[in-house]
Amino acid sequence: MLIGIGGLSIARADTIVVKGSDTLGAKLVPQLAEQFKAQHPGTSFDIAAEGSATGFAALIDKTAAIGMASRPAKPEEIANGKAKGVEMKEIVVAYDGIAVIVNAANPIKSLTKKQVEQIFTGEIIDWSAVGGSGGKISVYTRNTSSGTYAEFKELAMKKRDYAPTSQKLAGNEQIAQEVGRNANGTGYVGLAYTKALGIKVLPIDGASPSKESVLAKTYPYARPTFFYTNGAPRGVVKEFIDFTVGPDGQKIVEQVGFVPIK
């Protein structure tokens, strides 16, 4: 069966188009797709991970069968979808914690929620203000199409704006790389990206991001991550989503570094 728009197929029997979140799409979804393909020969995937906003836009344009998101759909995205006959259906696929990272050589051992807010909004600009050895703080954030960019603002910054000097990067891996290179760097990444070389994760108010602290919500920057579809998923798309939230998919969720939903 061909479900297409303007000649573009988004869910043929053989190809599932998945767009959106880098947090999900850089590591987790490609591994889920590989395992699913092994069990469903003839199925292929077209995965583009450029930020949650791009996933919602693709669903609304009917150019993707699944939108990956690390934040919930905004009311205006739901309304824009409805105006085009798209009914956003939300499926939680994994839990995650947004880890605050610094360079491995940074002597700072932990931060408070207040200090995180002050660093990322630009109120605190030098490590000496939070007990470090001094040096102008370089703040790395995701770009504005990122769900993590929006969620961190919500969870850690009381919805305030990022520091004007902050540098926006395309993905979790890029943030980890820059912080690993820059002795004065700091940024945030999803749990699956905390093993990168040259970085360390800081406890926040004594809580470190982990499977246990995310599930118990004792870690302050815990969040669900989602797949969105246009209405109830059908056919091979439904099979892939069922696989993702089922035991085999959730095993991969855990292996990659996310927190399973069950």
Side-chain angles (χ1 to χ4, degrees):
M1 184 174 76
L2 185 68
I3 304 166
I5 184 106
L8 174 77
S9 163
I10 59 170
R12 283 200 308 264
D14 55 354
T15 303
I16 302 174
V17 180
V18 189
K19 295 186 179 179
S21 162
D22 164 83
T23 300
L24 291 175
K27 280 187 181 180
L28 175 59
V29 173
Q31 290 194 33
L32 289 165
E34 282 309 309
Q35 183 73 31
F36 185 80
K37 283 193 294 190
Q39 297 174 10
H40 298 75
T43 303
S44 64
F45 286 80
D46 177 357
I47 300 168
E50 294 166 348
S52 300
T54 65
F56 293 117
L59 271 186
I60 292 165
D61 290 346
K62 302 191 175 87
T63 55
I66 297 173
M68 306 175 281
S70 60
R71 63 164 173 82
K74 295 175 181 172
E76 59 267 29
E77 288 164 335
I78 294 167
N80 289 346
K82 277 196 174 137
K84 292 195 174 180
V86 172
E87 195 67 47
M88 299 259 185
K89 179 165 170 54
E90 177 186 287
I91 302 111
V92 175
V93 293
Y95 292 104
D96 191 21
I98 308 174
V100 177
I101 58 169
V102 294
N103 186 278
N106 192 321
I108 295 279
K109 292 204 167 40
S110 65
L111 290 169
T112 65
K113 284 196 290 190
K114 184 68 186 165
Q115 286 169 331
V116 171
E117 180 193 335
Q118 289 172 314
I119 287 168
F120 281 87
T121 56
E123 261 182 70
I124 287 176
I125 58 169
D126 197 283
W127 285 113
S128 58
V130 290
S133 52
K136 192 173 186 307
I137 299 172
S138 299
V139 172
Y140 298 101
T141 79
R142 294 288 308 286
N143 58 33
T144 53
S145 66
S146 154
T148 307
Y149 177 93
E151 281 292 272
F152 193 76
K153 210 169 165 176
E154 179 95 18
L155 293 168
M157 296 164 59
K158 300 197 175 120
K159 302 185 184 176
R160 295 169 62 193
D161 284 330
Y162 285 94
T165 54
S166 62
Q167 297 170 66
K168 294 183 178 72
L169 300 172
N172 288 273
E173 284 167 339
Q174 289 88 333
I175 290 180
Q177 277 168 5
E178 288 303 321
V179 173
R181 285 190 199 119
N182 181 347
N184 291 314
T186 186
Y188 50 73
V189 293
L191 277 181
Y193 305 89
T194 54
K195 303 282 188 285
L197 293 174
I199 65 168
K200 68 178 180 183
V201 174
L202 294 181
I204 308 302
D205 281 338
S208 293
S210 67
K211 180 182 171 184
E212 292 72 28
S213 67
V214 165
L215 279 176
K217 297 192 174 128
T218 52
Y219 182 67
Y221 314 139
R223 49 139 180 210
T225 62
F226 311 95
F227 283 170
Y228 279 84
T229 55
N230 175 9
R234 296 192 301 274
V236 71
V237 174
K238 180 181 189 307
E239 287 177 44
F240 176 63
I241 292 171
D242 288 348
F243 165 78
T244 297
V245 298
D248 290 352
Q250 290 297 299
K251 202 176 286 176
I252 295 168
V253 162
E254 187 155 25
Q255 284 164 358
V256 172
F258 288 82
V259 179
I261 53 177
K262 297 189 175 66

